[in-house]
């Protein structure tokens, strides 16, 4: 609030100071006053057309407001001005993904990595798109690179373990690797996440270790947060009790 008041004073003294409008917009954004942030970023963009940072930030605010088409328009405009900003390609790719334009999403994540290979979140998000499309080989490649760089990320450890444990493709399925990855995910979550233990049970089932598959699945059932989750976990428990495995399509 103090920062906003200071920028109010600066704008009162000079109503064309785009720097003050930009920083006030950022302050509004941090305080979740999103409509005010959009208004100030719009002022910056109208007064300083090459304002790529303002376009990017307004797009981020539009995204937070659920105005995805407006966000996409701003990211497109930012890229038209500067096609070397890896972050903007990544953010636009996420919009494409939300709108189920998966091919465009993959193109943007790939371009973002070409521009800056240190933006490792591209491997995670591109991997999730590949998984959604059933491109499991590509998903494994992206998730593997992500966890190589972010070895404690429990969510992607779990995603990768699940594919190795349950993929219908024999060339991708690897029970031993799935067990190792799932154990790491469980350890990172202090063995308190039902879904990770559920994955570990599926991994053990893939290796034919029915005792550990059943024991871990029973724990996954106990830790399930909702009755729907509990019912889902019980279905897989029945599979393992019958010496059967889980298979994704």
């Amino acid at each position: 609030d103090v920062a906003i008041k200071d920028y109010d004073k600066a704008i009162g003294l000079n109503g064309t100071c785009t720097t003050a409008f930009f920083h006030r917009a950022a302050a509004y954004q941090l305080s979740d006053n999103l409509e005010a942030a959009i208004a100030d970023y719009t002022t910056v963009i109208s007064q300083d057309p090459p304002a790529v940072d303002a376009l990017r930030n307004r797009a981020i605010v539009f995204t937070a407001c659920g105005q995805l088409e407006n966000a996409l328009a701003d990211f497109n405009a930012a890229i038209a001005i500067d096609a070397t900003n890896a972050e903007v390609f990544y953010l636009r790719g996420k919009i494409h993904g939300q709108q189920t334009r998966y091919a465009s999403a993959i193109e943007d994540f790939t371009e973002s990595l070409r521009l800056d290979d240190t933006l490792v979140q591209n491997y995670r998000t591109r991997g999730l798109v590949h998984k959604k499309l059933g491109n499991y080989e590509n998903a494994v490649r992206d998730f593997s690179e992500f966890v190589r760089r972010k070895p404690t990320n429990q969510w992607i450890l779990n995603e990768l373990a699940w594919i190795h444990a349950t993929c219908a493709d024999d060339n991708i399925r690897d029970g031993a690797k799935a067990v190792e990855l799932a154990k790491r995910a469980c350890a990172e979550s202090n063995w308190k996440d039902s879904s990770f233990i559920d994955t570990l049970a599926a991994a053990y089932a893939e290796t034919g270790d029915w005792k550990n598959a059943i024991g871990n699945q029973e724990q996954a059932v106990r830790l399930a947060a909702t009755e729907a989750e509990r019912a889902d976990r019980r279905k897989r428990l029945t599979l393992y009790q019958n010496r059967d495995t889980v298979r994704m399509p």
Side-chain angles (χ1 to χ4, degrees):
D1 288 348
V2 173
I4 289 172
K5 289 178 181 177
D6 287 342
Y7 294 130
D8 287 342
K9 291 178 183 178
I11 290 167
L13 292 171
N14 181 358
T16 62
C17 180
T18 56
T19 300
F21 276 106
F22 181 88
H23 288 299
R24 189 174 70 175
Y28 280 136
Q29 189 174 350
L30 287 173
S31 64
D32 287 329
N33 189 344
L34 302 184
E35 288 187 7
I38 289 171
D40 275 359
Y41 284 133
T42 300
T43 298
V44 175
I45 293 163
S46 66
Q47 294 184 9
D48 184 13
V52 174
D53 287 346
L55 283 164
R56 178 201 62 205
N57 287 7
R58 189 174 69 173
I60 291 170
V61 178
F62 277 140
T63 303
C65 293
Q67 299 180 38
L68 299 186
E69 286 301 328
N70 286 336
L72 184 62
D74 275 358
F75 285 136
N76 288 341
I79 288 170
I81 296 167
D82 178 9
T84 66
N85 191 312
E87 182 193 18
V88 173
F89 276 101
Y90 166 72
L91 293 170
R92 189 177 72 171
K94 289 180 69 177
I95 297 294
H96 284 314
Q98 286 178 262
Q99 297 188 317
T100 68
R101 290 190 289 266
Y102 297 128
S104 295
I106 289 169
E107 286 179 6
D108 274 356
F109 297 141
T110 302
E111 179 63 10
S112 179
L113 282 168
R114 189 189 70 79
L115 292 167
D116 185 354
D117 188 55
T118 67
L119 289 181
V120 296
Q121 60 266 40
N122 280 292
Y123 289 109
R124 178 193 64 221
T125 47
R126 189 174 66 180
L128 289 169
V129 173
H130 281 309
K131 182 188 174 190
K132 188 179 289 289
L133 293 173
N135 299 330
Y136 297 119
E137 184 176 356
N138 289 334
V140 165
R141 186 180 299 114
D142 278 346
F143 289 155
S144 297
E145 181 60 21
F146 183 81
V147 299
R148 186 183 73 82
R149 301 189 191 201
K150 297 285 186 180
T152 62
N153 187 289
Q154 56 195 270
W155 305 105
I156 301 304
L157 284 167
N158 184 69
E159 291 281 0
L160 187 54
W162 183 258
I163 294 174
H164 280 308
T166 68
C167 186
D169 187 337
D170 294 344
N171 294 318
I172 293 174
R173 215 167 50 254
D174 186 332
K177 185 177 290 186
V179 168
E180 183 263 325
L181 291 163
K183 280 184 174 179
R184 286 168 59 188
C186 289
E188 289 296 334
S189 61
N190 295 314
W191 295 86
K192 293 180 179 179
D193 191 299
S194 174
S195 64
F196 297 168
I197 297 172
D198 178 55
T199 297
L200 179 59
Y204 275 124
E206 176 58 24
T207 68
D209 184 344
W210 303 110
K211 180 181 178 180
N212 275 314
I214 291 168
N216 279 282
Q217 194 63 20
E218 288 173 341
Q219 178 68 355
V221 170
R222 285 191 290 270
L223 291 175
T226 67
E227 187 53 45
E229 279 187 5
R230 200 167 291 110
D232 181 62
R233 308 284 190 262
R234 285 194 183 113
K235 288 179 183 177
R236 282 195 277 281
L237 176 58
T238 300
L239 280 178
Y240 308 149
Q241 290 169 335
N242 291 327
R243 302 296 191 264
D244 203 354
T245 54
V246 179
R247 287 290 176 268
M248 289 192 300

